[in-house]
Short mmCIF file of all heavy atoms in Angstrom, two decimals:
data_model
loop_
_atom_site.label_atom_id
_atom_site.label_comp_id
_atom_site.label_asym_id
_atom_site.label_seq_id
_atom_site.Cartn_x
_atom_site.Cartn_y
_atom_site.Cartn_z
N VAL V 1 -47.68 47.64 10.91
CA VAL V 1 -46.28 47.58 10.95
C VAL V 1 -45.76 47.35 9.55
O VAL V 1 -46.27 46.50 8.70
CB VAL V 1 -45.81 46.41 11.87
CG1 VAL V 1 -44.29 46.33 11.79
CG2 VAL V 1 -46.29 46.63 13.23
N PHE V 2 -44.68 48.09 9.13
CA PHE V 2 -44.18 48.01 7.84
C PHE V 2 -42.67 47.73 7.79
O PHE V 2 -41.95 48.08 8.83
CB PHE V 2 -44.46 49.25 6.98
CG PHE V 2 -45.96 49.53 6.80
CD1 PHE V 2 -46.64 50.40 7.80
CD2 PHE V 2 -46.65 48.91 5.86
CE1 PHE V 2 -48.00 50.58 7.59
CE2 PHE V 2 -48.02 49.17 5.73
CZ PHE V 2 -48.64 50.04 6.52
N ASP V 3 -42.20 47.28 6.73
CA ASP V 3 -40.71 47.08 6.62
C ASP V 3 -39.97 48.34 6.89
O ASP V 3 -40.28 49.44 6.21
CB ASP V 3 -40.41 46.60 5.23
CG ASP V 3 -39.01 45.82 5.16
OD1 ASP V 3 -38.28 45.90 6.19
OD2 ASP V 3 -38.67 45.32 4.13
N GLY V 4 -38.92 48.32 7.73
CA GLY V 4 -38.14 49.53 8.02
C GLY V 4 -38.56 50.23 9.27
O GLY V 4 -37.93 51.13 9.76
N ASP V 5 -39.72 49.84 9.83
CA ASP V 5 -40.17 50.45 11.08
C ASP V 5 -39.29 50.05 12.21
O ASP V 5 -38.54 48.99 12.15
CB ASP V 5 -41.55 49.95 11.40
CG ASP V 5 -42.66 50.81 10.64
OD1 ASP V 5 -42.31 51.74 10.05
OD2 ASP V 5 -43.85 50.35 10.65
N ALA V 6 -39.34 50.79 13.33
CA ALA V 6 -38.61 50.45 14.53
C ALA V 6 -39.72 50.15 15.63
O ALA V 6 -40.72 50.77 15.66
CB ALA V 6 -37.75 51.54 15.02
N LEU V 7 -39.37 49.17 16.47
CA LEU V 7 -40.30 48.81 17.57
C LEU V 7 -39.51 48.99 18.89
O LEU V 7 -38.33 48.80 18.94
CB LEU V 7 -40.70 47.34 17.43
CG LEU V 7 -41.18 46.84 16.12
CD1 LEU V 7 -41.50 45.41 16.11
CD2 LEU V 7 -42.50 47.59 15.79
N GLU V 8 -40.29 49.38 19.93
CA GLU V 8 -39.63 49.70 21.15
C GLU V 8 -40.51 49.04 22.25
O GLU V 8 -41.74 49.00 22.19
CB GLU V 8 -39.52 51.13 21.43
CG GLU V 8 -38.49 51.83 20.48
CD GLU V 8 -38.26 53.34 20.94
OE1 GLU V 8 -39.04 53.85 21.73
OE2 GLU V 8 -37.30 53.87 20.41
N LEU V 9 -39.83 48.51 23.32
CA LEU V 9 -40.49 47.91 24.49
C LEU V 9 -39.65 47.96 25.70
O LEU V 9 -38.47 48.19 25.61
CB LEU V 9 -40.90 46.49 24.12
CG LEU V 9 -39.80 45.39 24.25
CD1 LEU V 9 -40.41 44.06 24.54
CD2 LEU V 9 -39.06 45.40 22.90
N ARG V 10 -40.37 47.67 26.86
CA ARG V 10 -39.68 47.40 28.15
C ARG V 10 -39.80 45.87 28.35
O ARG V 10 -40.89 45.34 28.34
CB ARG V 10 -40.27 48.15 29.33
CG ARG V 10 -40.16 49.62 29.19
CD ARG V 10 -38.86 50.05 29.83
NE ARG V 10 -38.59 51.44 29.77
CZ ARG V 10 -37.48 52.12 30.12
NH1 ARG V 10 -36.45 51.36 30.65
NH2 ARG V 10 -37.31 53.35 29.92
N ASP V 11 -38.68 45.13 28.40
CA ASP V 11 -38.76 43.69 28.61
C ASP V 11 -39.15 43.30 30.08
O ASP V 11 -39.37 44.14 30.90
CB ASP V 11 -37.56 42.98 28.05
CG ASP V 11 -36.33 43.11 28.90
OD1 ASP V 11 -36.37 43.81 29.94
OD2 ASP V 11 -35.34 42.58 28.64
N ALA V 12 -39.10 42.02 30.30
CA ALA V 12 -39.58 41.55 31.60
C ALA V 12 -38.71 42.02 32.72
O ALA V 12 -39.10 42.08 33.91
CB ALA V 12 -39.50 39.96 31.61
N ARG V 13 -37.48 42.51 32.48
CA ARG V 13 -36.56 43.04 33.48
C ARG V 13 -36.70 44.53 33.59
O ARG V 13 -35.99 45.21 34.39
CB ARG V 13 -35.15 42.67 33.21
CG ARG V 13 -34.89 41.15 33.09
CD ARG V 13 -33.50 40.88 32.44
NE ARG V 13 -33.39 41.44 31.18
CZ ARG V 13 -32.22 41.50 30.49
NH1 ARG V 13 -31.13 41.19 31.08
NH2 ARG V 13 -32.27 41.96 29.18
N GLY V 14 -37.57 45.13 32.70
CA GLY V 14 -37.65 46.62 32.77
C GLY V 14 -36.66 47.32 31.81
O GLY V 14 -36.55 48.51 31.86
N ARG V 15 -35.84 46.53 31.09
CA ARG V 15 -34.91 47.04 30.19
C ARG V 15 -35.50 47.72 28.83
O ARG V 15 -36.36 46.98 28.29
CB ARG V 15 -33.80 46.06 29.79
CG ARG V 15 -33.15 45.31 30.98
CD ARG V 15 -32.11 46.24 31.70
NE ARG V 15 -31.52 45.59 32.86
CZ ARG V 15 -30.54 44.72 32.84
NH1 ARG V 15 -30.03 44.41 31.70
NH2 ARG V 15 -30.12 44.25 33.98
N HIS V 16 -35.03 48.87 28.46
CA HIS V 16 -35.58 49.42 27.31
C HIS V 16 -34.86 48.76 26.08
O HIS V 16 -33.62 48.57 26.03
CB HIS V 16 -35.30 50.94 27.16
CG HIS V 16 -35.65 51.55 25.86
ND1 HIS V 16 -34.78 51.72 24.82
CD2 HIS V 16 -36.89 52.04 25.46
CE1 HIS V 16 -35.42 52.32 23.82
NE2 HIS V 16 -36.75 52.53 24.19
N ARG V 17 -35.64 48.29 25.07
CA ARG V 17 -35.09 47.67 23.90
C ARG V 17 -35.66 48.16 22.71
O ARG V 17 -36.88 48.51 22.55
CB ARG V 17 -35.34 46.12 23.92
CG ARG V 17 -34.51 45.41 25.02
CD ARG V 17 -33.06 45.42 24.80
NE ARG V 17 -32.30 44.72 25.80
CZ ARG V 17 -31.59 45.34 26.75
NH1 ARG V 17 -31.60 46.63 26.81
NH2 ARG V 17 -30.87 44.66 27.64
N ARG V 18 -34.80 48.27 21.57
CA ARG V 18 -35.33 48.73 20.24
C ARG V 18 -35.00 47.64 19.27
O ARG V 18 -33.93 47.08 19.17
CB ARG V 18 -34.59 49.98 19.84
CG ARG V 18 -34.90 50.50 18.48
CD ARG V 18 -33.95 51.64 18.08
NE ARG V 18 -34.06 52.02 16.75
CZ ARG V 18 -34.82 52.99 16.23
NH1 ARG V 18 -35.59 53.77 17.08
NH2 ARG V 18 -34.91 53.24 14.92
N LEU V 19 -35.97 47.32 18.30
CA LEU V 19 -35.86 46.34 17.38
C LEU V 19 -36.08 47.01 15.98
O LEU V 19 -36.93 47.94 15.87
CB LEU V 19 -36.85 45.15 17.56
CG LEU V 19 -36.75 44.36 18.75
CD1 LEU V 19 -37.46 44.90 19.98
CD2 LEU V 19 -37.23 42.89 18.51
N ASP V 20 -35.43 46.54 15.01
CA ASP V 20 -35.67 46.94 13.69
C ASP V 20 -36.39 45.93 12.79
O ASP V 20 -36.05 44.75 12.71
CB ASP V 20 -34.29 47.24 12.93
CG ASP V 20 -33.38 48.30 13.66
OD1 ASP V 20 -34.05 49.26 14.13
OD2 ASP V 20 -32.22 48.07 13.81
N VAL V 21 -37.51 46.33 12.17
CA VAL V 21 -38.24 45.54 11.32
C VAL V 21 -37.50 45.25 9.99
O VAL V 21 -37.22 46.23 9.31
CB VAL V 21 -39.67 46.10 11.06
CG1 VAL V 21 -40.48 45.20 10.12
CG2 VAL V 21 -40.48 46.25 12.35
N VAL V 22 -37.24 43.99 9.69
CA VAL V 22 -36.49 43.66 8.47
C VAL V 22 -37.26 42.85 7.41
O VAL V 22 -36.76 42.56 6.42
CB VAL V 22 -35.20 42.85 8.88
CG1 VAL V 22 -34.32 43.71 9.71
CG2 VAL V 22 -35.56 41.56 9.56
N GLY V 23 -38.54 42.47 7.77
CA GLY V 23 -39.32 41.83 6.75
C GLY V 23 -40.77 41.76 7.25
O GLY V 23 -40.98 41.61 8.43
N VAL V 24 -41.64 41.88 6.24
CA VAL V 24 -43.08 41.81 6.51
C VAL V 24 -43.75 40.76 5.52
O VAL V 24 -43.48 40.94 4.30
CB VAL V 24 -43.85 43.20 6.37
CG1 VAL V 24 -45.35 42.98 6.65
CG2 VAL V 24 -43.18 44.20 7.42
N SER V 25 -44.40 39.84 6.02
CA SER V 25 -45.04 38.79 5.10
C SER V 25 -46.26 38.26 5.77
O SER V 25 -46.62 38.72 6.89
CB SER V 25 -44.02 37.64 4.86
OG SER V 25 -43.78 37.00 6.10
N GLU V 26 -46.95 37.33 5.07
CA GLU V 26 -48.19 36.78 5.57
C GLU V 26 -47.86 36.00 6.86
O GLU V 26 -48.71 35.79 7.71
CB GLU V 26 -48.80 35.84 4.58
CG GLU V 26 -49.46 36.54 3.36
CD GLU V 26 -50.13 35.60 2.43
OE1 GLU V 26 -50.06 34.41 2.71
OE2 GLU V 26 -50.69 36.09 1.43
N ALA V 27 -46.59 35.48 6.93
CA ALA V 27 -46.24 34.72 8.08
C ALA V 27 -46.13 35.63 9.40
O ALA V 27 -46.27 35.13 10.50
CB ALA V 27 -44.94 33.91 7.92
N GLY V 28 -45.76 36.83 9.16
CA GLY V 28 -45.58 37.73 10.39
C GLY V 28 -44.59 38.77 10.07
O GLY V 28 -44.22 39.12 8.94
N ILE V 29 -44.15 39.48 11.22
CA ILE V 29 -43.30 40.56 11.18
C ILE V 29 -41.91 40.10 11.76
O ILE V 29 -41.85 39.67 12.86
CB ILE V 29 -43.76 41.75 12.09
CG1 ILE V 29 -45.21 42.11 11.68
CG2 ILE V 29 -42.81 42.91 11.89
CD1 ILE V 29 -45.41 42.45 10.26
N ASP V 30 -40.85 40.17 10.89
CA ASP V 30 -39.53 39.78 11.35
C ASP V 30 -38.80 41.01 11.89
O ASP V 30 -38.74 42.03 11.07
CB ASP V 30 -38.76 39.09 10.25
CG ASP V 30 -39.27 37.71 9.87
OD1 ASP V 30 -40.31 37.36 10.48
OD2 ASP V 30 -38.73 37.04 8.98
N ALA V 31 -38.20 40.96 13.02
CA ALA V 31 -37.46 42.08 13.56
C ALA V 31 -36.17 41.56 14.21
O ALA V 31 -36.09 40.46 14.75
CB ALA V 31 -38.33 42.85 14.59
N GLU V 32 -35.17 42.51 14.18
CA GLU V 32 -33.79 42.10 14.72
C GLU V 32 -33.36 43.03 15.84
O GLU V 32 -33.80 44.18 15.96
CB GLU V 32 -32.75 42.08 13.67
CG GLU V 32 -32.97 41.03 12.59
CD GLU V 32 -31.79 41.14 11.51
OE1 GLU V 32 -31.10 42.03 11.48
OE2 GLU V 32 -31.78 40.05 10.72
N CYS V 33 -32.54 42.54 16.78
CA CYS V 33 -32.04 43.38 17.89
C CYS V 33 -30.68 42.85 18.21
O CYS V 33 -30.31 41.79 18.07
CB CYS V 33 -32.96 43.22 19.06
SG CYS V 33 -32.50 44.26 20.53
N ASP V 34 -29.82 43.88 18.68
CA ASP V 34 -28.46 43.46 19.05
C ASP V 34 -28.28 43.40 20.58
O ASP V 34 -27.19 43.30 21.01
CB ASP V 34 -27.47 44.49 18.47
CG ASP V 34 -27.69 45.97 18.94
OD1 ASP V 34 -28.62 46.16 19.80
OD2 ASP V 34 -27.04 46.89 18.49
N ARG V 35 -29.39 43.32 21.33
CA ARG V 35 -29.41 43.22 22.79
C ARG V 35 -30.15 41.93 23.14
O ARG V 35 -31.13 41.48 22.45
CB ARG V 35 -29.89 44.45 23.48
CG ARG V 35 -29.23 45.73 23.02
CD ARG V 35 -27.74 45.82 23.55
NE ARG V 35 -27.76 45.92 25.01
CZ ARG V 35 -27.98 47.15 25.66
NH1 ARG V 35 -28.22 48.21 25.04
NH2 ARG V 35 -27.97 47.06 27.01
N THR V 36 -29.91 41.49 24.35
CA THR V 36 -30.84 40.33 24.82
C THR V 36 -32.19 40.86 25.25
O THR V 36 -32.23 41.96 26.00
CB THR V 36 -30.14 39.66 26.12
OG1 THR V 36 -28.85 39.13 25.64
CG2 THR V 36 -30.98 38.58 26.65
N VAL V 37 -33.21 40.17 24.86
CA VAL V 37 -34.53 40.61 25.28
C VAL V 37 -35.28 39.42 25.97
O VAL V 37 -35.27 38.36 25.47
CB VAL V 37 -35.34 41.09 23.98
CG1 VAL V 37 -36.77 41.57 24.35
CG2 VAL V 37 -34.61 42.04 23.20
N TYR V 38 -35.97 39.84 27.06
CA TYR V 38 -36.81 38.82 27.75
C TYR V 38 -38.26 39.25 27.45
O TYR V 38 -38.84 40.18 28.06
CB TYR V 38 -36.66 38.85 29.22
CG TYR V 38 -35.39 38.20 29.76
CD1 TYR V 38 -34.12 38.79 29.66
CD2 TYR V 38 -35.43 36.94 30.30
CE1 TYR V 38 -32.96 38.19 30.11
CE2 TYR V 38 -34.29 36.33 30.75
CZ TYR V 38 -33.02 36.88 30.64
OH TYR V 38 -31.90 36.31 31.09
N TYR V 39 -38.90 38.65 26.47
CA TYR V 39 -40.28 38.89 26.06
C TYR V 39 -41.21 38.31 27.17
O TYR V 39 -41.02 37.17 27.59
CB TYR V 39 -40.64 38.43 24.65
CG TYR V 39 -39.82 39.00 23.64
CD1 TYR V 39 -38.65 38.44 23.17
CD2 TYR V 39 -40.26 40.19 23.04
CE1 TYR V 39 -37.90 39.02 22.14
CE2 TYR V 39 -39.49 40.71 21.96
CZ TYR V 39 -38.37 40.10 21.51
OH TYR V 39 -37.63 40.72 20.52
N ARG V 40 -42.26 39.05 27.52
CA ARG V 40 -43.20 38.49 28.46
C ARG V 40 -44.66 38.68 28.01
O ARG V 40 -44.92 39.59 27.25
CB ARG V 40 -43.06 39.24 29.87
CG ARG V 40 -43.31 40.79 29.84
CD ARG V 40 -43.17 41.37 31.15
NE ARG V 40 -43.29 42.85 31.10
CZ ARG V 40 -44.41 43.52 31.09
NH1 ARG V 40 -45.58 42.82 31.17
NH2 ARG V 40 -44.46 44.83 30.98
N SER V 41 -45.55 37.80 28.41
CA SER V 41 -46.92 37.85 27.99
C SER V 41 -47.55 39.23 28.49
O SER V 41 -47.34 39.60 29.68
CB SER V 41 -47.73 36.73 28.65
OG SER V 41 -47.24 35.50 28.20
N GLY V 42 -48.29 39.82 27.61
CA GLY V 42 -48.97 41.08 27.94
C GLY V 42 -48.14 42.31 27.70
O GLY V 42 -48.63 43.49 27.97
N ALA V 43 -46.81 42.15 27.37
CA ALA V 43 -45.95 43.35 27.25
C ALA V 43 -46.52 44.14 25.99
O ALA V 43 -46.90 43.58 25.01
CB ALA V 43 -44.56 42.96 27.04
N SER V 44 -46.36 45.47 26.10
CA SER V 44 -46.72 46.31 24.97
C SER V 44 -45.57 46.77 24.14
O SER V 44 -44.45 47.11 24.79
CB SER V 44 -47.42 47.62 25.51
OG SER V 44 -48.57 47.28 26.29
N ILE V 45 -45.64 46.69 22.87
CA ILE V 45 -44.56 47.04 21.97
C ILE V 45 -45.07 48.22 21.11
O ILE V 45 -46.05 48.09 20.49
CB ILE V 45 -44.10 45.86 21.03
CG1 ILE V 45 -43.76 44.64 21.87
CG2 ILE V 45 -43.04 46.26 20.06
CD1 ILE V 45 -43.45 43.41 21.04
#
């Protein structure tokens, strides 16, 4: 994953969501979204 990438997933409710990667560092990948997202264990992004 690199800065500027887009991420997509189906959240716990089955809603399609798109996130924009805004930062990559040793701490992890920071991403933003303008919709509510229910992240669930085991979900694929």
